[in-house]
Amino acid sequence: MSVKNLGSLAGKVAVVTAATDGIGFAIARRLAQGGASVVVSSRKEANVKRTTESLQSEGLDVIGVKCHVGLEEDRKNLVDETLKKHGAIDILVSNAAVNPFFGNLLDCSGEAWDKIFDINVKSAFLLTKEIVPHMEKRGGGSIVYISSIAGYHAMPGLGPYSISKTALLGLTRAMADECAKYNIRVNCVAPGVIDTKFSSALTENEAVKEKMLDQIPLRRIGVPQEMGGLVAFLCSDEASYITGENITAAGGMESRL
Ligand code: NAP
């Protein structure tokens, strides 16, 4: 069975950050399977090359551009290279995040706090700012931020990271209001615990994992592909009346601020 054209994204150009592993990779692959021309990116050239080649070998329309989202020149280059190749941008999935700190919230240094907010929040904002004028020229577009269930309820030891993910919920609302006049929809996805390298500290230790599962009504850890379909839907014309929303995909974990 062909993996192409599972959705209605034909003719759309999508930029996905942090797309060489985990959730970002699954999203990029699903968007391309839906017919989009996808630009994958992450910090390491080798990861970008491996991912691009792997997706191209599946017959998908994918190119890769190295982009550390915290670097202005990399963000600009990502946009420039996308425009050079495709002449337009219709979709931005802002997926990059870091967590350099684990511990009590009050023990977090200003330096670690800045790093978390620079990558997880500020770069999402700045990349949006860079891309919106091109979507405006196109007559519309779709932006999806990747938040986290932790944005609703701070995970123990992950206070600053969790707060950065709460900020993305606010960014979604404010940006959706402002971009509606350009026919640009802005939505957010809050994954629960998903099986990736990022979450391995929670999923590799059996005792920690059991405790985690007790909080998940579906009693299992999610997989990255479960985020891909949801993001593809939000980016498609089937979601044309949805903006300013956050959709939690967390196996039933509570999501209320
Ligand atoms: P992952 O599997 O560890 O993948 C991380 C990706 O990010 C890699 O492609 C990495 O490639 C790239 N990356 C890291 N820093 C970057 C930067 N500064 N600029 C650009 N790319 C960067 O992570 P994941 O679990 O899929 O997480 C993806 C997103 O989902 C994050 O926003 C995370 O907060 C969110 N999330 C994850 C979970 C979960 O349980 N996994 C739950 C809720 C939310 P390079 O090393 O080449 O840069």
Side-chain angles (χ1 to χ4, degrees):
M1 189 187 90
S2 165
V3 289
K4 278 179 127 180
N5 294 320
L6 295 178
S8 48
L9 298 170
K12 299 206 188 287
V13 179
V15 171
V16 186
T17 67
T20 58
D21 211 345
I23 292 171
F25 175 78
I27 291 170
R29 185 165 184 248
R30 180 61 185 78
L31 293 178
Q33 288 172 343
S37 301
V38 177
V39 181
V40 296
S41 62
S42 78
R43 290 168 305 180
K44 297 177 193 136
E45 192 76 64
N47 290 343
V48 172
K49 186 169 185 287
R50 174 184 43 78
T51 303
T52 308
E53 286 172 359
S54 149
L55 293 174
Q56 285 173 346
S57 75
E58 295 181 29
L60 300 172
D61 181 1
V62 173
I63 61 162
V65 179
K66 183 184 89 61
C67 174
H68 181 323
V69 295
L71 301 176
E72 187 179 358
E73 64 270 30
D74 277 17
R75 291 192 302 267
K76 280 195 186 310
N77 188 50
L78 176 61
V79 173
D80 289 349
E81 289 299 315
T82 304
L83 293 173
K84 208 190 288 170
K85 170 77 183 171
H86 296 295
I89 302 177
D90 302 290
I91 293 167
L92 165 65
V93 181
S94 175
N95 169 64
V98 288
N99 179 47
F101 173 80
F102 186 86
N104 293 326
L105 179 55
L106 288 171
D107 291 332
C108 181
S109 67
E111 225 178 18
W113 180 277
D114 282 349
K115 169 99 185 158
I116 290 168
F117 276 76
D118 270 359
I119 301 299
N120 300 7
V121 186
K122 191 176 169 189
S123 70
F125 164 67
L126 290 173
L127 194 54
T128 301
K129 216 167 123 84
E130 194 78 42
I131 284 178
V132 160
H134 302 290
M135 290 183 168
E136 199 189 330
K137 267 187 224 150
R138 187 84 154 161
S142 174
I143 297 169
V144 177
Y145 299 121
I146 304 301
S147 173
S148 169
I149 190 71
Y152 284 98
H153 190 112
M155 288 204 176
L158 298 175
Y161 166 82
S162 301
I163 299 165
S164 75
K165 293 297 187 178
T166 311
L168 289 178
L169 304 176
L171 180 66
T172 302
R173 277 261 36 128
M175 200 59 89
D177 286 350
E178 196 159 315
C179 289
K181 58 179 172 293
Y182 307 128
N183 191 34
I184 298 170
R185 297 181 297 103
V186 184
N187 292 294
C188 186
V189 166
V193 185
I194 309 298
D195 190 14
T196 69
K197 249 185 240 144
F198 196 76
S199 64
S200 54
L202 296 175
T203 54
E204 275 174 2
N205 177 310
E206 277 309 314
V208 177
K209 185 174 168 184
E210 257 323 291
K211 233 172 134 187
M212 209 64 250
L213 289 175
D214 285 342
Q215 296 169 45
I216 306 173
L218 283 183
R219 290 279 316 166
R220 68 175 177 83
I221 304 297
V223 293
Q225 291 86 327
E226 291 178 294
M227 304 302 112
L230 175 53
V231 172
F233 165 69
L234 286 173
C235 294
S236 75
D237 292 341
E238 289 168 78
S240 54
Y241 204 47
I242 302 177
T243 193
E245 297 296 340
N246 174 65
I247 301 188
T248 299
M253 285 176 92
E254 196 174 299
S255 57
R256 206 152 31 95
L257 273 178

